[in-house]
Amino acid sequence: MTTSRGLRGLAAAAVVLLCAVFAPGRAAAAGQQLTLGSDVGQVLVDPVPCAVQGFQLQFGNAGSAAVYADAFIDAPAPLTVSRSLVSSYLPPGYTLKVEIDVSAPRTTPPGDYTISVHAGDQQLSLPVHVNAAPVNDTGNLVRYMQVSASSENLPNYPACGAVDGDRTSAKWGAGGGWNDATKGSFPDWLQVTFDEPTTVGRVDLYTLDSAKYPAAGYGLSAWDVELLTDGSWQTVAQVRDNTAAEAASAFTPQTATALRVVTLASNEGPTYSRVAELEAYAS
């Protein structure tokens, strides 16, 4: 998982907006002063799922009276932002700081883009540079693919943590593995969706395993491996009575648009599904 908030060392981009803020049924008040700014001068974006990147929007009131105000965030396609609207009550002298995530699909052409933030008839233009998509030379078919889950125990156990390239449990509890959010309720599932139909013949699952939380006591003990082929899910492998950190499931290769692991039981009992890493290979 790539972690970046752009070039923090660049001078902050800021602009003072002199604009009218409207209240329902009343005329605009003159002289109210809003400020828009960012903590970075440029946002760097890696076009891969699960990348944590973006900027901190600084939306303030430099006037002497409290206001209700809106800031609108617009990103050019195919870029997307986590929030397109920030609406807030702003006391005089107060600046609201909001993290805005920026993402782009792997097919995004590398180059320069611009995110616009506007309030009233004024705007802040924030440069964005999209890097080239990383080359996957690992053979692992799910690396840099879109991942989802039946539930996520956020923020410490995201589904993204199970496809970040780290098989160990060294970062367990700090984003380095997936844990569901429905204690005692099985089944759960972890799913990877491919960019295009992909031939899969083996799926490796690394469950939680550390000195404090060994696999035999806390890892997954049972799960099914399923492939989405011709629009329907097919079970291609089953694992039962597992006590090891790693279990490889080999089967006749099939072309699929997605794969998922349906978790059925934990060695701890009716608690959680815990996956440190999920990998898939052609054979």
Side-chain angles (χ1 to χ4, degrees):
M1 181 166 54
T2 304
T3 301
S4 172
R5 281 285 171 189
L7 302 178
R8 298 287 187 184
L10 292 181
V15 63
V16 175
L17 303 183
L18 299 178
C19 61
V21 180
F22 291 88
R26 292 188 295 179
Q32 292 181 335
Q33 191 179 68
L34 300 180
T35 62
L36 279 179
S38 168
D39 64 333
V40 295
Q42 182 185 50
V43 180
L44 293 182
V45 173
D46 289 324
V48 294
C50 299
V52 179
Q53 56 211 350
F55 64 100
Q56 183 187 83
L57 175 64
Q58 299 167 353
F59 186 28
N61 175 17
S64 58
V67 296
Y68 288 93
D70 297 331
F72 299 88
I73 303 102
D74 298 313
L79 275 63
T80 58
V81 290
S82 56
R83 295 183 64 171
S84 59
L85 170 66
V86 174
S87 183
S88 181
Y89 170 77
L90 301 174
Y94 176 74
T95 297
L96 178 69
K97 298 179 180 179
V98 182
E99 297 295 335
I100 306 296
D101 297 330
V102 182
S103 59
R106 295 187 68 220
T107 55
T108 304
D112 296 321
Y113 299 79
T114 301
I115 289 176
S116 297
V117 185
H118 67 275
D121 59 356
Q122 301 294 319
Q123 73 173 20
L124 166 68
S125 295
L126 186 60
V128 177
H129 181 77
V130 177
N131 296 319
V135 176
N136 181 13
D137 56 4
T138 67
N140 177 12
L141 302 173
V142 306
R143 192 76 174 102
Y144 306 125
M145 294 293 114
Q146 189 67 49
V147 62
S148 57
S150 53
S151 66
E152 299 173 277
N153 199 335
L154 299 174
N156 297 326
Y157 305 94
C160 287
V163 292
D164 63 356
D166 185 358
R167 299 171 175 174
T168 74
S169 298
K171 296 186 294 182
W172 188 259
W178 169 67
N179 194 122
D180 74 286
T182 56
K183 183 177 181 179
S185 177
F186 287 95
D188 303 308
W189 53 263
L190 179 67
Q191 176 177 324
V192 173
T193 302
F194 298 113
D195 288 344
E196 59 186 10
T198 301
T199 300
V200 184
R202 191 181 94 226
V203 172
D204 297 351
L205 186 145
Y206 296 80
T207 190
L208 173 63
D209 184 56
S210 66
K212 185 176 181 180
Y213 301 110
Y218 296 90
L220 282 173
S221 62
W223 63 89
D224 291 345
V225 177
E226 299 182 349
L227 294 180
L228 185 61
T229 59
D230 298 323
S232 62
W233 289 103
Q234 307 292 333
T235 300
V236 294
Q238 295 180 318
V239 177
R240 300 292 186 270
D241 302 317
N242 175 69
T243 58
E246 174 193 359
S249 299
F251 43 86
T252 302
Q254 298 184 37
T255 299
T257 55
L259 75 83
R260 70 181 180 188
V261 171
V262 179
T263 62
L264 303 173
S266 166
N267 287 316
E268 191 185 10
T271 54
Y272 292 107
S273 297
R274 302 180 176 106
V275 177
E277 191 73 5
L278 181 65
E279 299 179 355
Y281 297 88
S283 61

